[in-house]
Amino acid sequence: MIFENLLVSTENGLATITINRPKKLNALNKNTIEELHNAFNKLNNDNSVKAIIITGSGEKAFVAGADISEFAHFSVEEGGRLAAKGQEMLFDFVENLTTPVIAAVNGFALGGGLELAMSCHFRIASNNAKMGLPEVSLGVIPGYGGTQRLPQLIGKGRAMELVMTAGMISAEDAKNYGLVNHVTTQEELIPLATKIASKIMRNSSVAIGAAIKAVNDNFKDGVNGFETEISEFGACFGTEDFKEGTTAFLEKRKADFPG
Ligand code: COA
C-alpha cells in the first residue's frame, strides 16, 4: 500500500501503520484522515492481518492534533461537517474494527492525536509521551470523540479538568489514570507493542472480533451490551475457530485457528 502520509507494513500477520508527516508533528490533515481510513479498511478486510499497531514517525510526536491550518477559516456548517465526517471515517471506524488496534504513543498525542489513540482498542506509550486535549485553548472543543471517550477511559472529573485546562499529562500520569496500559522507553515501544500483539494473535481472531463488538456495545446508547454478549457468545459456537479451540484443548495441543 502506497500513501503520501503513511507508511504501512505487514509482517507475520502484524500490520504497522506509521503516520508520516514529522515536519508537522504528524498532524491529521484531510488527506491523512482519508489515507488512514483506506489503510485501516484494507487491513481489516485482509484475513491474514491479525493485529494492527499505529504509531507516529519521528521521536517527537504520535499526532499533534488535527491540522489547524486546514480549519482555521471554517464556518459553523463546515466545522460541524469536519467533526461528523472525521468521526465516521476514522475515529468511530477504528473503534469498531474487528481487527485489534494498538496505539503506540511515541510522543505528543494532542487533540485529534489523543482522540485517535483513544479510538484504538488500547494504548501503550513511551516515557516521553505527552497527552492532552488543548482544543479550548483554540476556542473550540474536541470534535473527534474526545469529550466522550476521555471520560469513559479516565472518569468524568479527570476528563473535565484535562479538557478545561487544555493541559498535558505525562505518560506516567496517563498510566495512573488508565489512559495507557504500559509505559516504556522509546526504543522499547514498538517491541513491546509487537510482544503484546503476538500474544493476541495466538488467539481466535473471530472470537476477538466478537469480543470487541460486545465490549464496545457497553458504551453505545440504547444498546444492551449483555444482549450483544449473549448473541456473540452463541454465534461463536458455529465457528471453525471454536471447533479448533475446544478440540485442541481436549487433545492437549496448541490450537491452530483457521480464523
Ligand atoms: N496543526 C498544524 N500544524 C501543526 C500542528 C497542528 N495541530 N501541531 C504542530 N504543527 C506544526 C507547527 O505549525 C510547526 O510547523 P512549521 O515548522 O511549518 O511552523 C511544526 O508542526 C512543528 O511544531 P512546533 O510548534 O514548532 O513544535 P514545538 O516543539 O515548538 O511544539 C507542540 C510542539 C505540540 C506543543 C505544538 O506544536 C502545538 O501546540 N501544536 C498544536 C497542538 C494542538 O493544539 N492540537 C490540537 C489541535 S485541534
Side-chain angles (χ1 to χ4, degrees):
M1 281 185 260
I2 307 289
F3 296 101
E4 192 186 331
N5 297 324
L6 307 179
L7 303 170
V8 181
S9 63
T10 306
E11 206 181 326
N12 301 325
L14 174 60
T16 303
I17 299 177
T18 306
I19 301 170
N20 190 30
R21 292 183 82 207
K23 286 190 183 140
K24 295 290 174 190
L25 303 186
N26 304 321
L28 296 176
N29 60 358
K30 189 167 170 271
N31 185 31
T32 308
I33 290 180
E34 281 169 11
E35 289 191 344
L36 281 167
H37 172 87
N38 293 335
F40 275 117
N41 193 30
K42 208 155 180 199
L43 294 171
N44 193 56
N45 289 329
D46 181 343
N47 259 351
S48 69
V49 174
K50 305 291 183 201
I52 303 168
I53 295 169
I54 179 161
T55 193
S57 73
E59 298 194 339
K60 209 167 157 184
F62 173 71
V63 170
D67 193 318
I68 299 167
S69 66
E70 274 190 354
F71 62 74
H73 59 281
F74 271 14
S75 66
V76 169
E77 289 73 26
E78 287 172 314
R81 274 201 300 275
L82 179 74
K85 193 159 180 229
Q87 290 193 17
E88 185 191 333
M89 281 192 74
L90 183 58
F91 300 84
D92 293 351
F93 188 74
V94 169
E95 183 169 58
N96 291 304
L97 293 181
T98 48
T99 309
V101 184
I102 305 171
V105 179
N106 59 308
F108 288 114
L110 302 175
L114 180 56
E115 289 171 304
L116 177 59
M118 292 193 294
S119 299
C120 297
H121 298 124
F122 61 91
R123 293 141 291 285
I124 66 171
S126 56
N127 50 20
N128 64 313
K130 293 228 178 314
M131 284 159 254
L133 294 176
E135 283 86 347
V136 297
S137 71
L138 299 167
V140 67
I141 69 167
Y144 288 148
T147 63
Q148 307 304 298
R149 292 193 182 94
L150 190 62
Q152 286 171 4
L153 286 163
I154 70 172
K156 187 174 168 185
R158 282 169 166 168
M160 284 286 197
E161 183 179 339
L162 206 53
V163 168
M164 288 192 247
T165 57
M168 290 185 211
I169 55 170
S170 66
E172 266 314 316
D173 284 344
K175 187 178 161 203
N176 291 336
Y177 283 11
L179 185 53
V180 304
N181 294 2
H182 307 281
V183 176
T184 185
T185 59
Q186 274 216 308
E187 302 73 55
E188 281 304 311
L189 184 65
I190 298 303
L192 176 61
T194 305
K195 194 172 152 197
I196 299 169
S198 335
K199 281 193 193 168
I200 292 172
M201 287 158 61
R202 276 185 225 138
N203 302 315
S204 157
S205 56
V206 180
I208 286 173
I212 291 172
K213 186 171 185 328
V215 173
N216 278 343
D217 277 4
N218 179 241
F219 299 96
K220 286 188 183 148
D221 269 350
V223 179
N224 185 327
F226 288 98
E227 281 170 13
T228 306
E229 186 179 277
I230 291 167
S231 68
E232 292 294 330
F233 179 83
C236 288
F237 285 71
T239 66
E240 291 300 315
D241 274 16
F242 176 73
K243 274 187 209 123
E244 168 59 12
T246 47
T247 307
F249 178 81
L250 295 172
E251 291 176 355
K252 298 192 188 302
R253 62 173 172 82
K254 227 171 117 235
D256 181 14
F257 292 109

